[in-house]
Amino acid sequence: MTDRRFDVVLVGAGAVGLAGALAFSRAGFATCLVGPAPERRDGRTAALLETSLAFLRGLGVGSVLEATSQPLRTLRLVDDTESLFRPPPVEFRAAEIGLDAFGRNIENAALVELLVDAVRRDARILWLPEFAAGLSGEDFSAVRLRDGSSVAGALVVAADGRKSRLRDEAGLEASETRHPQVALTTILGHEREHGDVSTEFHTGSGPFTLVPLPGRRSSLVWVNRPPVAERLVALPDAELASAIEARSHRILGRMRIDGPRGIVPLSTVRVPRLHRGRLALAGEAAHAVPPIGAQGLNLGFADVEALLDLAMVARSGGADIGSPALFSRYQRARLRDVQVRTAAIHGLNRALLSGLLPLDMARGFGLGLLARVGPLRRAVMRAGLGTARFSGTGSAARSRSASGG
Ligand SMILES: Cc1cc2nc3c(=O)[nH]c(=O)nc-3n(C[C@H](O)[C@H](O)[C@H](O)COP(=O)(O)OP(=O)(O)OC[C@H]3O[C@@H](n4cnc5c(N)ncnc54)[C@H](O)[C@@H]3O)c2cc1C
């Protein structure tokens, strides 16, 4: 069957694919999105940093986002290990670096829902809510559908998740490191106000993190050894809530389970090459990191922003938006950022798990320094905020186009 042709075809309707489709469409590119709307509800939330929020506001979903998410104004790290070198808790306050908040926390399902609504309302996007059957064309410029037809793009973006089929079909290598932990996720209602504070207890089996949601609610990411997490997740609501209450030293008072729960295995996926032919990888198809330090989706949004920026620069110069030159700039812009953040996440996780005295001392010493030394703390806060966005000349043009569209 004849190909239908677009400027951009995105595969995967997760948060990255949906936001990418909106961004390209609003910038005036003929856009097709392939993939069913996600149904996953596992209690996971996304802490979105200011750079991601600005990107989403540019897509016209700012007011719904504000209404369904909660600002993160303070990040508190508490050493809850058995270490001999336990430093006092460290608090990072956004106000210390002149910000109102570090970002906002939103339930993943709510974020996907608001993006789905926005894509449905954008009549310029052709959304085919089905799984792609694969790639075709020597330059991977077309996406095959189940009925044998295909959709072709000058640029094809694989946003089909960590097990990306398109990545494999294009022969782009990916290596997965499995960690000896899983994350138990759920949503909690609690007695006390969270005060917009996210608290991360560092334990010997990984971080246990409470992140504020609207009202007296918080999300939980409890990184733990699989047998412990599996026992916990099978508990009735009241027993799970009291186990969480006890682990959190009751800082938020009495708790109840107030949403779905899930268990996610922890692994890291590294992909050294992010493109081949006309195909570029974005989101978890390009990199997956454990849920420590709230980086994953923020990196995914930065990917699509970088691709869009480059495509806008190419278009304004009359150049091809799926050219090797554009892709090597994409690779340079994104790979370093992803590598640095992946290394930081691994470093922290290893230090918690190792139980080795030198690593334990270094971690305790590091946290102690952060608690005492203001300039160091502020530098770490700025680095963690991930301002490493691609700064091509497309940004300004895109914002204009997005707000007008
Ligand atoms: C417990 C936990 C907490 C987290 N917390 C944070 C956080 O605080 N901040 C943060 O930034 N990140 C966080 N993350 C990471 C974040 O959830 C992920 O990075 C993000 O959801 C990945 O989005 P994605 O769109 O790339 O992939 P996915 O959400 O996996 O979407 C991929 C989509 O592609 C579809 N698909 C697959 N194959 C095909 C095909 N052949 N055709 C069409 N569609 C296909 C899938 O069905 C799916 O809908 C967390 C992750 C976990 C596990």
Side-chain angles (χ1 to χ4, degrees):
M1 257 184 250
T2 330
D3 284 348
R4 282 168 281 176
R5 300 200 161 273
F6 298 85
D7 296 321
V8 186
V9 176
L10 298 105
V11 177
V16 172
L18 289 160
L22 281 171
F24 276 101
S25 166
R26 290 175 74 87
F29 291 98
T31 303
C32 173
L33 174 65
V34 182
E39 284 171 5
R40 179 175 62 200
R41 285 189 181 266
D42 57 8
R44 99 172 50 172
T45 61
L48 297 175
L49 304 177
E50 187 46 46
T51 39
S52 297
L53 295 171
F55 169 60
L56 292 171
R57 281 185 210 113
L59 304 181
V61 296
S63 52
V64 193
L65 187 68
E66 303 267 308
T68 44
S69 62
Q70 188 68 18
L72 305 173
R73 300 188 207 277
T74 301
L75 308 180
R76 184 194 294 138
L77 302 186
V78 181
D79 188 320
D80 206 9
T81 62
E82 306 291 307
S83 169
L84 294 173
F85 310 97
R86 280 175 57 180
V90 190
E91 284 201 353
F92 298 93
R93 292 194 185 85
E96 235 192 294
I97 51 170
L99 297 176
D100 175 50
F102 292 113
R104 301 182 76 92
N105 190 40
I106 182 167
E107 286 180 57
N108 220 64
L111 175 64
V112 164
E113 211 170 285
L114 73 89
L115 291 170
V116 162
D117 278 355
V119 170
R120 287 202 176 120
R121 277 188 278 106
D122 187 333
R124 294 162 301 186
I125 300 175
L126 176 69
W127 185 2
L128 305 171
E130 59 177 279
F131 284 100
L135 286 167
S136 59
E138 273 179 19
D139 56 358
F140 307 119
S141 60
V143 173
R144 273 185 293 114
L145 304 172
R146 275 178 314 199
D147 65 0
S149 69
S150 55
V151 282
L155 166 63
V156 176
V157 181
D160 52 345
R162 61 168 58 213
K163 294 188 189 310
S164 171
R165 173 180 188 148
L166 268 55
R167 179 184 69 209
D168 294 347
E169 280 205 17
L172 292 167
E173 271 174 40
S175 64
E176 182 169 17
T177 310
R178 286 175 191 276
H179 305 287
Q181 300 142 294
V182 296
L184 188 161
T185 51
T186 194
I187 309 288
L188 302 157
H190 40 76
E191 192 183 10
R192 297 201 191 120
E193 302 284 353
H194 47 54
D196 299 340
V197 180
S198 172
T199 306
E200 183 166 305
F201 293 91
H202 288 173
T203 82
S205 43
F208 168 103
T209 311
L210 294 165
V211 195
L213 282 170
R216 285 188 193 168
R217 295 170 82 235
S218 293
S219 58
L220 170 75
V221 181
W222 187 350
V223 175
N224 218 323
R225 309 278 182 189
V228 181
E230 274 146 28
R231 186 180 54 72
L232 286 164
V233 84
L235 291 174
D237 278 2
E239 287 175 42
L240 177 59
S242 28
I244 295 168
E245 225 176 273
R247 190 77 203 75
S248 63
H249 303 286
R250 301 193 166 74
I251 56 167
L252 296 174
R254 294 294 305 272
M255 285 180 165
R256 71 193 147 72
I257 305 297
D258 193 28
R261 50 176 97 172
I263 283 214
V264 189
L266 256 60
S267 70
T268 300
V269 179
R270 291 185 175 83
V271 184
R273 189 183 155 106
L274 303 180
H275 60 94
R276 177 154 291 150
R278 290 190 171 273
L279 179 79
L281 309 179
E284 287 205 334
H287 42 73
V289 291
I292 298 173
Q295 296 291 334
L297 188 52
N298 288 294
L299 288 171
F301 286 151
D303 297 340
V304 284
E305 263 198 286
L307 274 174
L308 177 60
D309 250 327
L310 287 162
M312 293 195 68
V313 173
R315 182 177 63 182
S316 63
D320 182 359
I321 63 165
S323 71
L326 180 145
F327 285 140
S328 29
R329 293 186 69 194
Y330 177 59
Q331 170 97 13
R332 274 201 306 279
R334 295 304 306 134
L335 206 58
R336 178 93 189 114
D337 187 28
V338 170
Q339 284 170 343
V340 166
R341 279 159 211 285
T342 306
I345 291 166
H346 274 227
L348 172 63
N349 198 34
R350 252 201 314 273
L352 286 174
L353 288 184
S354 82
L356 288 174
L357 203 60
L359 266 184
D360 208 25
M361 278 175 73
R363 191 182 53 79
F365 181 66
L367 283 179
L369 269 183
L370 286 174
R372 287 191 309 274
V373 184
L376 177 63
R377 196 169 54 245
R378 289 189 280 277
V380 166
M381 283 191 258
R382 289 195 187 97
L385 285 178
T387 43
R389 285 305 213 248
F390 174 77
S391 53
T393 51
S395 297
R398 189 189 65 248
S399 333
R400 271 199 303 280
S401 161
S403 53

